[in-house]
Amino acid sequence: MSIGKSEAVHQFFSGTAPQILSSDISFSNSDSIFPSKSGVRCVKRKAFRYIRSLKCSRMLKNRICPLNVPATSRLQHLCCKCQQADSVLYESVKQLKEEKDDSNSKGKNHKATLGSVEEEAWEKLMESMVYYCGSPIGTIAANDPTCSNALNYDQVFIRDFIPSGIAFLLKGEYDIVRNLILHTLQLQSWEKTMDCHSPGQGLMPASFKVRICPLEGDDSATEEVLDPDFGEAAIGRVAPVDSGLWWIILLRAYGKISGDTSLQERVDVQTGIKMIMKLCLADGFDMFPTLLVTDGSCMIDRRMGIHGHPLEIQALFYSALLCSREMLAREDGSADLLRALNNRLVALSFHIREYYWIDMRKLNEIYRYNTEEYSYDAVNKFNIYPEQIPPWLVDWMPNAGGYLIGNLQPAHMDFRFFSLGNLWSVASGLATPGQSHAILDLIEAKWTDLVADMPLKICYPALKGMEWQIITGSDPKNTPWSYHNAGSWPVLLWQLTVASIKMDRPEIAARAVEVAEKRISRDKWPEYYDTKKGRLIGKQSRLYQTWSIAGYLVAKLLLAKPSAAKILVTEEDSELKNAFSCMISANPRRKRGRRNLKQAFIV
């Protein structure tokens, strides 16, 4: 974050200046169409990036606002030449600040109270906000004052912003979410190349940064530009598959809670949804309805053996399919896409529920599998060898409970428990009601393993020894029980809360929040925790990690008002249930070739 933006945040909390927040900052009310994508180029020059970027000029006599000028003068420097932002205060945060000032005047110590934890969380969330043309556009990944090397933690990640955006929506502050949706939508049309190759048009950036650059032809002025990263600069150079899926989920949540459906009805937004869905639904060589992705293409963004068809991506894909189906305009141009969405929803739900599910009954079935079955009616369709069942699983699996495995490919099942994939399968309805309750039963039964001293394990168990060396490449950051290798991530609190509320079991989330509240503020809001029980702050964990802060706030807000979870929850409607029943009755295990079903399941 630039010095000017940091000063603006400081001014708000010190009471020396108003907060600048405006809606729809540089977008007209009229619908707009995506600009056409330019041809692929082997060499991408910086100048080309700046020309194609979203520009917003502002006059700065000394380019960087000096710190010794009066607060009001510094605030004037933040105003963009091209857009005069409206002044809108965050009333809820203002109220928190007034309460803090009042309590401080009475000499009260809030550090040990739960109210002060929430208050501190809101202040830290506000401090993480990023501004573009004087208006909020997102939150940075982390605001750790103890770390001199920011890497990319000073950027706005779509994935990381989701809990921040939900927190703002639940507080009635819609502008920052609307601004991020529209600006990232325009970034979607950027030319994206790496070594002369371009990915699909619908790809959303993993992150972006607001940069201040000299204005061409005027040395006394600068301009703000949005500089996106589509994976070209990421570790491993992996494209963010989940960014577009989260973007669609956030767009639906915005419309649900604000009542403003005009945003999703805009021509450019409708086009953006279609581009993401067409990229996901593109034909390929795969025989399965699940999305095929590389390692590191989602929250687990380093090599962790999740390449193929990881559950997290499938759960988000299913959720985005349902959200897109709900938001797409019913018009002639969308008929084919809607038909494809319906087809994929039915096939994907059947595939995950049938082949990813594991409990004691299914475990015993796999243990007795026959292999090398060459036939159309094979039971062991993926040729899974019983010897693949890991020894830990037999003892770990509770009698009551189950979960969706992490990955499924020919001759390979990843039996690890992945929290985000299972929780979002519950929230999205990808898991059946019975499976959803069983997942929560397992979390309760294995509380000391999955929650312990800090919720929630990103996966379980950790890769160790030779397995860790082969699968992670001896990654020093992903050592056993650290980071993505079964580290404990507080951000997962909000997904646990959504899933628990949906299944009418909010006490599970409340119990986890209570565990986190004992130390998360005292530990300065770490990114993740290490060790099997989550007792130590992660060895490379950033402090004041924004999504740890926002995840906690969303959990608290939803527990206080459970009905608000409906903005994130999706359900199968009668049409999809009927289609799924038709698919089961057609018995895909037994028949091959063209089916002459009396009841069509595609509308």
Side-chain angles (χ1 to χ4, degrees):
M1 190 166 16
S2 66
I3 294 177
K5 296 179 185 62
S6 299
E7 284 297 307
V9 174
H10 173 73
Q11 290 166 17
F12 177 84
F13 288 108
S14 62
T16 58
Q19 190 79 3
I20 299 178
L21 297 173
S22 67
S23 63
D24 221 5
I25 42 186
S26 59
F27 301 93
S28 63
N29 291 328
S30 60
D31 293 337
S32 60
I33 306 295
F34 270 111
S36 60
K37 183 178 177 182
S38 59
V40 177
R41 300 188 182 184
C42 293
V43 180
K44 183 162 58 176
R45 298 173 299 172
K46 290 183 179 179
F48 176 77
R49 291 171 67 88
Y50 289 145
I51 292 172
R52 291 293 310 275
S53 64
L54 308 176
K55 297 184 177 180
C56 186
S57 303
R58 67 177 184 176
M59 300 303 296
L60 289 175
K61 298 226 172 175
N62 296 317
R63 295 192 182 179
I64 297 179
C65 182
L67 298 179
N68 58 350
V69 299
T72 53
S73 299
R74 290 200 302 271
L75 184 63
Q76 291 172 359
H77 281 298
L78 290 174
C79 298
C80 293
K81 178 181 178 181
C82 65
Q83 177 74 30
Q84 185 67 35
D86 296 329
S87 177
V88 182
L89 288 177
Y90 271 74
E91 295 296 337
S92 56
V93 179
K94 179 182 176 183
Q95 182 179 355
L96 285 173
K97 179 181 179 299
E98 290 173 351
E99 291 173 357
K100 177 185 176 183
D101 293 340
D102 181 63
S103 62
N104 285 342
S105 65
K106 297 177 182 179
K108 294 182 179 179
N109 184 0
H110 286 260
K111 292 183 179 180
T113 66
L114 297 182
S116 67
V117 174
E118 289 185 65
E119 181 181 328
E120 180 195 18
W122 276 112
E123 288 188 3
K124 295 302 179 184
L125 183 61
M126 293 294 294
E127 288 175 4
S128 72
M129 289 173 62
V130 175
Y131 293 82
Y132 178 64
C133 298
S135 295
I137 193 177
T139 52
I140 58 175
N143 194 14
D144 188 348
T146 67
C147 190
S148 58
N149 186 7
L151 292 177
N152 59 355
Y153 282 84
D154 62 348
Q155 298 187 23
V156 179
F157 283 80
I158 293 180
R159 175 192 309 130
D160 293 39
F161 177 75
I162 299 302
S164 298
I166 299 301
F168 285 124
L169 290 177
L170 292 173
K171 275 294 186 180
E173 304 297 343
Y174 308 140
D175 290 348
I176 186 171
V177 178
R178 181 183 176 91
N179 293 341
L180 178 127
I181 287 172
L182 290 174
H183 278 300
T184 51
L185 179 67
Q186 289 205 353
L187 293 175
Q188 185 190 39
S189 64
W190 264 56
E191 180 179 2
K192 309 171 271 283
T193 60
M194 179 182 167
D195 297 336
C196 306
H197 175 72
S198 293
Q201 272 192 320
L203 183 66
M204 280 288 187
S207 63
F208 63 86
K209 185 171 183 176
V210 179
R211 298 190 184 277
I212 301 176
C213 307
L215 187 63
E216 285 187 34
D218 189 349
D219 294 336
S220 64
T222 62
E223 59 182 353
E224 289 183 345
V225 297
L226 297 183
D227 187 14
D229 175 19
F230 292 91
E232 314 103 308
I235 297 173
R237 302 301 189 263
V238 180
V241 178
D242 62 339
S243 287
L245 305 178
W246 277 123
W247 183 88
I248 289 175
I249 294 168
L250 183 64
L251 174 63
R252 175 183 178 267
Y254 171 88
K256 283 284 185 182
I257 197 168
S258 69
D260 177 19
T261 58
S262 64
L263 180 63
Q264 65 194 46
E265 292 169 356
R266 288 173 51 139
V267 174
D268 53 349
V269 174
Q270 288 280 310
T271 303
I273 298 173
K274 291 176 182 178
M275 289 173 67
I276 295 171
M277 286 292 99
K278 287 178 180 178
L279 180 61
C280 293
L281 296 170
D283 293 333
F285 291 102
D286 208 351
M287 291 290 292
F288 314 133
T290 42
L291 272 183
L292 178 64
V293 300
T294 62
D295 221 336
S297 57
C298 51
M299 178 182 176
I300 298 179
D301 58 3
R302 298 170 75 91
R303 181 176 163 187
M304 270 294 292
I306 66 167
H307 57 280
H309 308 89
L311 177 64
E312 177 181 334
I313 289 294
Q314 314 316 321
L316 293 175
F317 181 33
Y318 184 81
S319 184
L321 285 169
L322 284 175
C323 293
S324 300
R325 181 172 174 265
E326 180 181 317
M327 294 186 293
L328 280 173
R330 267 49 180 179
E331 56 188 18
D332 293 340
S334 302
D336 290 341
L337 180 57
L338 286 169
R339 209 168 6 251
L341 291 180
N342 285 328
N343 275 331
R344 196 59 164 264
L345 279 166
V346 174
L348 181 61
S349 61
F350 176 84
H351 186 85
I352 297 295
R353 295 169 183 177
E354 183 77 7
Y355 305 123
Y356 276 60
W357 181 252
I358 187 81
D359 55 14
M360 279 304 298
R361 183 196 63 79
K362 187 62 179 288
L363 185 60
N364 210 129
E365 180 183 325
I366 297 171
Y367 182 70
R368 294 169 55 83
Y369 266 168
N370 292 321
T371 59
E372 316 301 334
E373 293 181 292
Y374 183 79
S375 65
Y376 296 117
D377 58 352
V379 174
N380 185 4
K381 285 188 173 184
F382 301 95
N383 200 34
I384 303 299
Y385 299 106
E387 290 75 15
Q388 288 186 24
I389 298 176
W392 64 266
L393 181 59
V394 179
D395 296 328
W396 192 73
M397 179 69 73
N399 291 325
Y403 64 97
L404 297 167
I405 62 172
N407 212 327
L408 176 64
Q409 300 185 70
H412 172 67
M413 296 181 80
D414 186 346
F415 289 99
R416 286 176 292 175
F417 174 86
F418 287 85
S419 295
L420 177 52
N422 274 276
L423 293 174
W424 208 253
S425 293
V426 175
S428 66
L430 178 56
T432 66
Q435 290 173 343
S436 297
H437 277 295
I439 290 170
L440 295 181
D441 288 341
L442 179 133
I443 292 174
E444 285 193 304
K446 296 300 174 182
W447 191 267
T448 56
D449 291 328
L450 300 177
V451 178
D453 290 346
M454 179 56 65
L456 186 64
K457 286 295 179 191
I458 191 171
C459 64
Y460 185 92
L463 301 173
K464 302 177 183 177
M466 186 63 68
E467 189 179 32
W468 166 75
Q469 293 178 17
I470 294 173
I471 293 179
T472 73
S474 300
D475 186 350
K477 193 169 185 177
N478 273 330
T479 53
W481 309 110
S482 179
Y483 201 52
H484 293 145
N485 190 10
S488 299
W489 291 70
V491 64
L492 295 171
L493 274 174
W494 78 272
Q495 288 103 334
L496 175 62
T497 304
V498 173
S500 300
I501 289 175
K502 180 183 178 181
M503 304 313 297
D504 198 24
R505 297 169 68 174
E507 69 278 359
I508 298 176
R511 183 182 172 194
V513 169
E514 185 178 353
V515 172
E517 282 177 329
K518 293 177 181 178
R519 56 182 297 203
I520 192 169
S521 175
R522 184 177 72 246
D523 291 342
K524 301 179 181 178
W525 306 95
E527 179 183 9
Y528 63 95
Y529 287 78
D530 284 354
T531 74
K532 191 172 182 179
K533 301 297 183 183
R535 302 194 68 182
L536 301 179
I537 297 173
K539 57 187 174 183
Q540 296 187 41
S541 176
R542 297 296 173 116
L543 302 180
Y544 298 107
Q545 184 80 11
T546 304
W547 70 356
S548 295
I549 297 167
Y552 165 77
L553 287 173
V554 172
K556 294 289 287 187
L557 289 167
L558 290 178
L559 287 172
K561 187 180 180 182
S563 61
K566 65 183 179 181
I567 69 171
L568 298 163
V569 167
T570 50
E571 301 277 3
E572 281 185 325
D573 55 23
S574 57
E575 181 183 320
L576 283 177
K577 289 180 180 178
N578 178 50
F580 189 76
S581 298
C582 289
M583 193 168 191
I584 295 296
S585 63
N587 197 353
R589 287 190 175 190
R590 213 182 314 148
K591 291 189 177 183
R592 175 180 180 260
R594 182 177 298 175
R595 300 174 192 152
N596 188 20
L597 297 180
K598 294 182 179 180
Q599 187 172 9
F601 55 84
I602 300 304
V603 175

